[in-house]
Amino acid sequence: MKKSNVFSNETAIKCSVCGKDLMLDPEMSLINIVQNMDTQKIISVKPCCKGRCDDIIQRSVKAREVSGWKDLTDFLNPYLYIKHIASVFNSTYTGAGFENQEAFEDYKKLILSTYPYVARDITEEEKNAAIWDDAMPF
Ligand SMILES: [Zn+2]
């Protein structure tokens, strides 16, 4: 799968159970998302292999929690990628959002690591603008 040059550092998407690089087989990978049934807040965001690794994550789900999933390939699809982010923005605005910092950081890591697969290549002019912007305090 084509990856843009938007980031210069490599960001692997690893199974949170066995550590496999999920981009070796994205069709057999998913994102397990656990939510609090009462608050609708996201408790955890765990990329993993379909099957055994997902089963292990699902076994850790507690009472009043619900485990759902999205295919990893959904986050490699430009339309579904931004649709999911907009949905999380909406739930954050209404007060749901994330129940803990780890879930927030894991979601952010997922979004950053899948972004090169939905983004176009960056031009030299844009690269220079990014260097200039990175030097600014905000
Ligand atoms: Zn795995």
Side-chain angles (χ1 to χ4, degrees):
M1 176 168 276
K2 182 165 174 13
K3 186 176 184 181
S4 81
N5 67 355
V6 69
F7 295 143
S8 55
N9 56 335
E10 285 298 312
T11 46
I13 307 162
K14 291 187 174 170
C15 174
S16 54
V17 176
C18 73
K20 176 185 161 188
D21 180 350
L22 296 176
M23 285 310 294
L24 295 173
D25 196 1
E27 302 284 339
M28 290 307 296
S29 306
L30 59 81
I31 314 302
N32 181 298
I33 300 172
V34 176
Q35 284 183 288
N36 181 316
M37 291 171 77
D38 300 318
T39 65
Q40 302 302 312
K41 288 186 177 185
I42 297 171
I43 295 169
S44 70
V45 178
K46 300 291 180 198
C48 64
C49 308
K50 289 182 179 176
R52 194 185 64 84
C53 295
D54 182 43
D55 290 344
I56 290 169
I57 293 172
Q58 286 189 39
R59 271 186 247 133
S60 67
V61 174
K62 301 177 185 109
R64 307 301 307 156
E65 294 179 356
V66 62
S67 172
W69 57 274
K70 288 279 182 192
D71 283 318
L72 174 57
T73 53
D74 288 358
F75 289 91
L76 309 176
N77 172 320
Y79 177 82
L80 296 176
Y81 177 88
I82 200 66
K83 180 183 173 187
H84 199 271
I85 292 172
S87 169
V88 169
F89 274 3
N90 288 340
S91 69
T92 300
Y93 177 75
T94 61
F98 298 90
E99 190 158 287
N100 56 66
Q101 187 175 1
E102 184 182 356
F104 172 73
E105 294 296 337
D106 285 345
Y107 185 73
K108 191 166 71 176
K109 186 176 170 188
L110 171 70
I111 294 307
L112 289 172
S113 58
T114 51
Y115 182 66
Y117 297 97
V118 298
R120 62 169 168 75
D121 279 341
I122 192 168
T123 66
E124 280 305 312
E125 189 180 347
E126 288 168 331
K127 218 178 269 183
N128 291 332
I131 290 167
W132 181 254
D133 189 76
D134 284 348
M136 295 292 135
F138 51 88

